[in-house]
Amino acid sequence: MKQLNKLIVTALFILATVTSQAQEIHFSQIFETALLRNPALAGLFKGDSRIQAVYRSQWSTVTVPYQTTSLSAEFKKQVGNSDDYFTIGGQILKDKAGTIALSTTELLPAFNYHKSISYEKSTYLSFGIIAGMVQKSLDRSKMTT
């Protein structure tokens, strides 16, 4: 009987995991922040540079609404006379949440290389990496337990 209960619980857990949906913690429109979604997407735009700012204030019905600000910049350069190019960019994110001012600060430089795999179409094999500093803090004087 215990085996059957474990099997049922496991099956329900797997079913709940497969059918659940979630939202990105900072932005509901994650597709607007390409570097946060996938660093290999850096440089996949028309033009040579892109600067982007995103702001979101959510849950304004709570005492202190959550506020998230993001700034990113990308610059791409062609490699020689080929269709290959590399991209250098960066992502800055500042998030402040709730009464205790739980905040997150991220400084993330990004590097990317796009290898052209077709001369007829704009098809690339991309490799990107993003890594940097992440700092989290809160105001303990505002905490109540």
Side-chain angles (χ1 to χ4, degrees), residues 16-45:
T17 304
V18 171
T19 60
S20 66
Q21 295 182 3
Q23 175 179 319
E24 201 274 333
I25 190 170
H26 301 293
F27 299 111
S28 60
Q29 298 173 337
I30 188 65
F31 292 103
E32 298 301 322
T33 55
L35 290 179
L36 288 179
R37 187 174 69 175
N38 186 346
L41 296 174
L44 292 178
F45 55 87

Side-chain angles (χ1 to χ4, degrees), residues 51-122:
I51 298 174
Q52 180 181 41
V54 179
Y55 173 78
R56 179 169 186 205
S57 178
Q58 62 181 338
W59 296 2
S60 58
T61 57
V62 297
T63 56
V64 178
Y66 291 36
Q67 297 176 343
T68 305
T69 306
S70 171
L71 177 67
S72 66
E74 303 166 55
F75 305 96
K76 65 181 178 181
K77 181 80 173 147
Q78 187 174 358
V79 177
N81 291 330
S82 67
D83 286 341
D84 301 352
Y85 59 94
F86 69 91
T87 304
I88 297 174
Q91 176 76 41
I92 300 171
L93 183 124
K94 178 71 175 164
D95 183 50
K96 190 173 183 181
T99 308
I100 61 170
L102 175 63
S103 65
T104 303
T105 304
E106 298 179 0
L107 299 170
L108 306 169
F111 303 97
N112 189 325
Y113 186 80
H114 298 281
K115 174 69 179 153
S116 177
I117 57 176
S118 173
Y119 291 107
E120 292 85 33
K121 300 178 184 176
S122 59

Side-chain angles (χ1 to χ4, degrees), residues 117-131:
I117 57 176
S118 173
Y119 291 107
E120 292 85 33
K121 300 178 184 176
S122 59
T123 307
Y124 295 93
L125 179 63
S126 300
F127 172 77
I129 187 167
I130 189 168

